Amino acid sequence: TWRGTRDTVMSPWDSLLYYKSFLHTGLMSVEPGTGHVKAYVGGINYRYFKYDNVTQGRRQVGSTFKPFVYTMAMQDGSFTPCSQVPNSEVCFENADGTDWCPKNSTDECQDEMVTLKWALANSVNYVSAYLMKQGSPEVVIELARRMGIKAPIDPVPAICLGTPDISVYEMAGAMATYANKGEYVEPIIITRIEDNKGMVLERFVPNRNEAIDEQTAYMMIELMKGVVSSGTGVRLRYKYGLNYPIAGKTGTTQNNSDGWFIGITPKLATAVWVGGELRSIHFRSMAHGQGANAALPIWALYMKKVYDDKTINFYKGDFNKPSVPLDVEMDCDKYQEEIQVGNDYYSF
């Protein structure tokens, strides 16, 4: 039980129903610069659930996949965090000639021009679809591969909403790339093996590769900071009091079966997944099933302990800026100054 072991008797059918009622989770933290895995939680209780939700499990990632789409859009200079794009319906033609038109979860700012920063902060599906149409699924997948995603991904437009099944291990390593100035470092659990006399028998060094340029990585960090400061992850601020530099992304999948939160700090990138043992187990509504409710609280309580532990002396500063100054404006409010002319307002 949630309160410890209880000796009881029940029918096989009731036993199945009981054990399927448990929510499961996986969590992994990676140090961006080294790839060292600092925390690893494979499940809620290995005695009763012998399954590793970090490496064995691959679950639909939902909107935590959207940063890959935004990265694709910005890496060639076509878009910046303050670029305005239409928040309007976008359709893709299927192989059978029918159209697939993803929907937004709300009608906020619908059919208006919005910035990429606002769109990612509010996880707007129309904008993700719009950006996908400016590129291609193949380009997004190739980018994700450079960032350590090895899971099978079908090259279809629907990946812009997060349809792929990916492990917690891969997502944590990929998102750490943004905090490491665009260099992907493969997460590593064992650095060396010694014998009983301290003789080193084997050393292990993580694989590294330049996945994206440092300016794009920094712009993505700024975009995902917006998720925490004013978007779907804002409760980290007002509910949990985490006012340090944090970038993040929530994720919620079809039927509210999976809840995700990925939080990034300059020295730690952590992915959290929450869901039932079977995908058919799900919440009835987003009120409880969204990543901001299901997974974000785990990250928040965990990081509060990390920040408060004086023995760790965890870094609380900001992310490092690119070695070459950015040539784009990151403060989108500067583009939204309004001037009144008579009874009308004009935005510049």
Side-chain angles (χ1 to χ4, degrees):
T1 73
W2 290 115
R3 295 179 176 86
T5 302
R6 177 185 169 194
D7 187 7
T8 188
V9 176
M10 62 176 68
S11 71
W13 177 249
D14 286 340
S15 178
L16 283 171
L17 289 176
Y18 176 75
Y19 277 107
K20 297 303 177 187
S21 71
F22 280 86
L23 281 179
H24 294 265
T25 189
L27 176 151
M28 193 176 89
S29 291
V30 181
E31 190 174 54
T34 64
H36 293 174
V37 173
K38 295 296 187 177
Y40 188 125
V41 180
I44 58 174
N45 191 316
Y46 186 74
R47 178 179 176 185
Y48 298 103
F49 304 102
K50 292 180 173 58
Y51 189 79
D52 179 9
N53 293 296
V54 170
T55 57
Q56 284 183 291
R58 280 178 174 166
R59 295 290 286 253
Q60 196 175 65
V61 293
S63 294
T64 57
F65 193 84
K66 288 178 180 176
F68 298 122
V69 180
Y70 280 69
T71 302
M72 174 203 69
M74 294 198 302
Q75 67 178 348
D76 64 355
S78 300
F79 296 90
T80 70
C82 299
S83 294
Q84 295 204 355
V85 296
N87 182 16
S88 302
E89 186 176 72
V90 175
C91 294
F92 298 86
E93 185 175 354
N94 296 318
D96 60 2
T98 60
D99 284 340
W100 174 68
C101 308
K103 305 298 181 183
N104 280 345
S105 58
T106 71
D107 59 0
E108 185 178 4
C109 295
Q110 188 160 309
D111 295 324
E112 298 179 18
M113 297 297 288
V114 298
T115 64
L116 292 193
K117 190 170 185 177
W118 185 90
L120 187 64
N122 293 278
S123 207
V124 180
N125 290 340
Y126 282 172
V127 173
S128 294
Y130 174 84
L131 295 177
M132 176 61 79
K133 208 153 194 178
Q134 310 313 304
S136 70
E138 289 80 6
V139 175
V140 175
I141 293 171
E142 194 274 331
L143 171 68
R145 294 280 181 252
R146 295 202 306 270
M147 295 177 67
I149 302 299
K150 299 177 181 177
I153 302 176
D154 292 329
V156 295
I159 66 173
C160 70
L161 304 189
T163 56
D165 296 340
I166 303 174
S167 70
V168 171
Y169 173 92
E170 291 176 56
M171 289 301 291
M175 293 298 141
T177 303
Y178 294 120
N180 196 37
K181 293 189 172 183
E183 182 187 29
Y184 168 71
V185 183
E186 184 180 15
I188 183 171
I189 297 170
I190 300 172
T191 56
R192 68 181 182 275
I193 298 175
E194 301 176 354
D195 64 14
N196 62 351
K197 295 182 178 60
M199 180 72 70
V200 177
L201 304 178
E202 188 70 59
R203 292 186 185 275
F204 301 91
V205 179
N207 295 321
R208 297 170 175 265
N209 66 270
E210 197 68 34
I212 55 178
D213 65 83
E214 60 176 347
Q215 292 211 1
T216 302
Y218 187 76
M219 287 192 291
M220 283 305 305
I221 286 292
E222 288 297 311
L223 280 179
M224 288 190 281
K225 277 185 176 181
V227 174
V228 176
S229 63
S230 62
T232 56
V234 71
R235 68 189 64 192
L236 288 177
R237 303 295 197 208
Y238 74 80
K239 184 174 182 178
Y240 297 100
L242 292 170
N243 295 311
Y244 309 109
I246 299 169
K249 188 69 191 80
T250 56
T252 310
T253 66
Q254 296 172 358
N255 299 323
N256 305 300
S257 295
D258 306 275
W260 287 80
F261 184 73
I262 296 176
I264 309 169
T265 73
K267 301 298 181 183
L268 203 65
T270 305
V272 182
W273 164 84
V274 172
E277 194 171 61
L278 305 175
R279 296 189 189 209
S280 57
I281 301 168
H282 62 91
F283 288 95
R284 292 189 177 94
S285 71
M286 286 187 67
H288 295 99
Q290 63 178 299
N293 277 328
L296 180 147
I298 295 175
W299 190 93
L301 295 173
Y302 159 61
M303 287 303 296
K304 277 177 70 71
K305 291 185 177 181
V306 171
Y307 280 116
D308 293 343
D309 191 333
K310 292 182 173 54
T311 63
I312 297 177
N313 193 25
F314 191 69
Y315 179 72
K316 299 176 181 178
D318 207 347
F319 294 85
N320 290 328
K321 293 184 178 181
S323 55
V324 178
L326 284 170
D327 55 2
V328 299
E329 179 57 62
M330 304 295 286
D331 185 0
C332 300
D333 291 338
K334 291 185 177 179
Y335 292 99
Q336 297 300 316
E337 297 177 357
E338 292 188 331
I339 298 178
Q340 184 176 8
V341 180
N343 295 321
D344 297 320
Y345 286 85
Y346 297 86
S347 295
F348 296 86

